[in-house]
Structures are given as C-alpha cells and as structure tokens.
Amino acid sequence: MINNDRALSHLLDLLAVEGPSGQEAKVVEAISKKLVSAGCKKAWIKTDDAHKRLGAGYGIGNLIVKMPGTIKAPRIMFSAHMDTVPLCKGAVPVVKGNRIVAKGNTGLGGDDRSGCAAIVSMAETILKNKIPHPPMTLLFPIAEENGLHGSRMVRFKDLGNPAMGFNLDGQEPNEIVIGAMSAVRWKAEIKGISTHAGLEPHKGISAGLIGSKAMAAIAEQGYFGKIVKGNRKGTSNLGSVSGGEASNQVMDQCIMTGECRSHSQAFLEQIVKVHRASFERAAKSVTNDKGKCGKVKFSTISDYRAFRLRKSEACVKIASKAVETVDLKPNPLIMDAGLDANNFNQKGLPTVTLGSGSHKFHQLEEYVDIKEYLTACEVLLDIARLAS
C-alpha cells in the first residue's frame, strides 16, 4: 500500500537537508512538516532535552512522535537517527538508474536518512489509509554517528514506554540485526618537555615519540586493527592525533584518541588493558639527558555495551514475519559495529535493527538502492500490522 512516488520523494527531500551530528534542527523541521502533512497532530510531536544534557555543541534534542493506536495493543517504537557524517555536508541527491547517489564530491547521507524517510512513508500510509495500528512512537535520535549520544539520553517515559523497538539503520531490508559489539573510546594525554630541537634536543622529551612507540607496541602485540586471539575477537583504532607547535620545538604535549570494540566484555577489557600498559611503558622509556621521563594520562569512556537477542524475542519474530510477507528470507545477524539499538537493549527495550537500502556508509561511493528502500517501507508497514 506504500505510494512509491511519495516514498521516493520523502527520501530525496530528506537527503538534501544538512544535519551533521549536533546540528539536526533543519532535519527536525523537515520531518515534522512531513508528518503533520501526513496527518500527525502537532500535539503528538516534540523534541526532548537530550541536547541540554549532552552539553555544548548540540543544538536540538531527539525528535519524538507519539501516535495513539486505533486498537488496544502494546506500544511499539520505530527509530532512525537524523544525523549524518561530515562527509555528507552539501550533499545533492540524484537518481541514477535504480540508485540514489550524491552529485559531486560528498557522501550521500542514506545512513540514516533512508531510515527516516521509510518511517515517514510508513506513518503516512497508515494515517492516509486509516489502517488499524497499535500505539506507535516514532523516534528520530540526534548524534548517533559521533557516539550514539541521542539514544543514550532517551528517557523511556518520554517515548510512552514502548514494549519493543524496530530500528532502521542498515542495508538489505531482510537483514535483522539481533546483536552488536561493545565499544570503548580512549584518550592518551601525553606530557613531555619542550626544548629547542636544534640546539638542545637532548634536554627535551618528545610526546610524539612516546605516542609513536606506544602505538607500535600495540600493533606488535597484535592489538591494533582486526584482533584475533584464539576464539576471542575485537578491533582497535587510532582516530586522532594532535599536539606540537613548531618543527624546531621538541613536542611537549600530544593527545591521541581511539576506540576498542569486541562482542566479549572481558576481551574488550583486555584490549584496553594492553593499550593502557603500552602507553605507560612508552612514557617511561623516553628520557632526556637528566633521566627524566614522560608522563601519560590514559582515560576511557564506555560508548555502548554489546547485546544479543534471542530469536524467540517478540520483536525478532515480528520482524522476521514482516520480511517473509514481502517474499524475502529473514537474515538474522550479529553486527561488528554499534547501533542506537545497543542503548535501547541495554536499557531494557528489546530492539532489532533492519536495513533500508543504504550501502557503502561513510564513503563517497555511498548510495541507496531504490527497490530495497521501497521494500523496507513495506516491511515497516507489515510490522505495524503484525504488532496489532
């Protein structure tokens, strides 16, 4: 019952709206206007105060739409994050064959505007055609791309306490993500001693050298990139390096940041332990002519925790049945990444994640497969009917 032309129009419109992490106000406005036009009452639509609780750098909260049901049934939630990565700034979406791509040298933003548009299309179809449905909450979180911050700040009472969730953030519409990784962000603040690099380099302590030695040691131990230790697996990455002021000055400070991930919480702690120890050893190993050594402050923040849903969970069964309804075979999978669903599941809301036709995320080659996107719209509609 999805109007394909309308659904495609919603997607093209939302892809053209800029909304990097923390700056989603224009996306909130665009989605809200579409939902009001579809038949949502303005009283159903609000934003929460997640941005205020997150602090500086965040302009607006999560967009929450609470639709009353036409039948008595538990409330369900549909979600898709609004923000895109910086690569998508200035994206101009164009239809090229059976795909939507970005015109020019930018990413597209199908991650996750395809999910947002699919939810809008599903809601519009239900309201325009007066399809019986349970109470539904449409959640559009902010700041997913830079750390799942919006979903972490969500309060379930603001959502109407849904019984289960269906998150849109993936590729093929038959994908049903039932598990994902834990992740930790780390920061190494390295202190050295500044001296003239030409006249008295021996009196200085290079913070850059300490950081370099630490990362080399981590890699030599097999704890960088893809990590496999027996049946234990994980990943680690160095994300940013900053420090130093001039090429003729021994670098006296350097800050490195990165992340570690694993499906196993115990192994994740081991990966972090190796990183911490490597930086501490490196700091002690770099000395000047007086025997002084560098210092390091290594800190971590837990981004999100792993989850694993049983195939017997109601949201998994409903999503699988909806996929079968569009003549596809459900593909339950465990993802080596983090999703808003990590936070929802950690808080006690069973939530699966489905694909909405986006591919090659965070790349210039990103595209949305139009047929897959339209199928995802149908899957969402079937979920709403099955949940009744």
Side-chain angles (χ1 to χ4, degrees):
M1 297 183 69
I2 298 289
N3 182 316
N4 288 350
D5 290 338
R6 291 282 298 165
L8 185 57
S9 176
H10 290 321
L11 176 55
L12 289 168
D13 289 346
L14 293 180
L15 285 169
V17 181
E18 276 194 18
S21 302
Q23 303 172 44
E24 297 92 345
K26 291 181 180 179
V27 191
V28 168
E29 181 181 5
I31 292 175
S32 298
K33 283 184 177 179
K34 286 183 175 294
L35 289 173
V36 169
S37 178
C40 283
K41 295 182 179 180
K42 291 183 179 180
W44 301 350
I45 304 172
K46 73 168 190 175
T47 54
D48 67 10
D49 64 348
H51 59 306
K52 294 179 181 178
R53 287 178 283 136
L54 284 168
Y58 296 90
I60 198 166
N62 300 306
L63 176 60
I64 300 170
V65 184
K66 288 197 289 187
M67 296 173 56
T70 59
I71 60 174
K72 188 175 181 180
R75 178 175 290 274
I76 63 173
M77 181 188 77
F78 293 97
S79 62
H81 69 85
M82 294 184 289
D83 60 318
T84 59
V85 294
L87 185 67
C88 301
K89 185 176 181 180
V92 177
V94 294
V95 176
K96 190 173 183 180
N98 62 349
R99 296 180 175 182
I100 300 174
V101 299
K103 179 182 179 181
N105 198 36
T106 72
L108 177 65
D111 173 20
D112 192 20
R113 298 299 169 74
S114 60
C116 294
I119 292 174
V120 169
S121 300
M122 177 270 297
E124 180 180 67
T125 303
I126 285 175
L127 293 170
K128 296 284 188 185
N129 295 281
K130 294 181 170 55
I131 298 172
H133 61 278
M136 301 193 305
T137 297
L138 316 181
L139 171 64
F140 303 93
I142 61 170
E144 187 267 0
E145 296 290 6
N146 64 339
L148 312 184
H149 297 306
S151 58
R152 178 166 52 86
M153 289 294 170
V154 162
R155 290 181 288 239
F156 284 173
K157 66 178 182 179
D158 293 336
L159 304 178
N161 295 309
M164 66 186 81
F166 302 90
N167 185 45
L168 275 288
D169 193 5
Q171 303 181 74
E172 288 84 2
N174 66 322
E175 288 182 350
I176 302 173
V177 179
I178 59 174
M181 283 180 151
S182 289
V184 166
R185 280 180 292 147
W186 57 262
K187 178 193 285 188
E189 299 172 82
I190 308 167
K191 299 290 184 181
I193 294 178
S194 174
T195 58
H196 193 288
L199 298 176
E200 299 178 316
H202 52 289
K203 293 184 178 181
I205 296 175
S206 172
L209 177 58
I210 292 171
S212 299
K213 292 184 71 173
M215 291 308 304
I218 289 166
E220 288 169 2
Q221 295 172 80
Y223 281 87
F224 185 77
K226 184 177 181 180
I227 305 167
V228 180
K229 300 290 182 180
N231 62 355
R232 300 178 302 169
K233 297 179 181 179
T235 65
S236 78
N237 182 56
L238 172 64
S240 70
V241 179
S242 61
E245 296 176 316
S247 60
N248 65 348
Q249 176 186 352
V250 173
M251 186 188 295
D252 63 335
Q253 58 182 348
C254 176
I255 296 177
M256 292 182 166
T257 67
E259 66 163 29
C260 305
R261 303 188 190 197
S262 179
H263 287 286
S264 164
Q265 188 63 32
F267 189 49
L268 178 59
E269 291 172 4
Q270 170 64 16
I271 297 171
V272 172
K273 183 179 179 180
V274 169
H275 279 62
R276 184 188 303 275
S278 296
F279 273 99
E280 290 174 349
R281 282 196 301 268
K284 292 178 180 178
S285 72
V286 179
T287 60
N288 65 6
D289 61 342
K290 295 185 180 299
K292 292 184 178 181
C293 64
K295 297 180 180 179
V296 63
K297 178 183 176 183
F298 189 89
S299 57
T300 61
I301 298 175
S302 178
D303 255 354
Y304 44 84
R305 293 184 71 90
F307 73 94
R308 190 74 60 91
L309 291 169
R310 294 186 177 89
K311 293 182 181 180
S312 59
E313 190 74 55
C315 61
V316 179
K317 293 171 72 174
I318 290 172
S320 298
K321 182 63 177 177
V323 167
E324 291 172 349
T325 302
V326 297
D327 298 323
L328 293 176
K329 183 179 179 180
N331 178 27
L333 55 87
I334 309 299
M335 181 171 281
D336 290 341
L339 304 155
D340 282 331
N342 285 70
N343 287 329
F344 301 143
N345 281 286
Q346 184 179 344
K347 293 180 180 183
L349 177 62
T351 303
V352 296
T353 298
L354 299 103
S356 51
S358 292
H359 298 269
K360 296 186 180 293
F361 318 132
H362 307 179
Q363 300 178 48
L364 294 176
E365 296 79 16
E366 184 185 10
Y367 68 92
V368 175
D369 184 292
I370 295 174
K371 182 179 179 180
E372 290 178 353
Y373 161 69
L374 295 174
T375 300
C377 296
E378 295 285 357
V379 170
L380 292 191
L381 187 59
D382 286 324
I383 287 173
R385 292 191 292 204
L386 289 166
S388 302

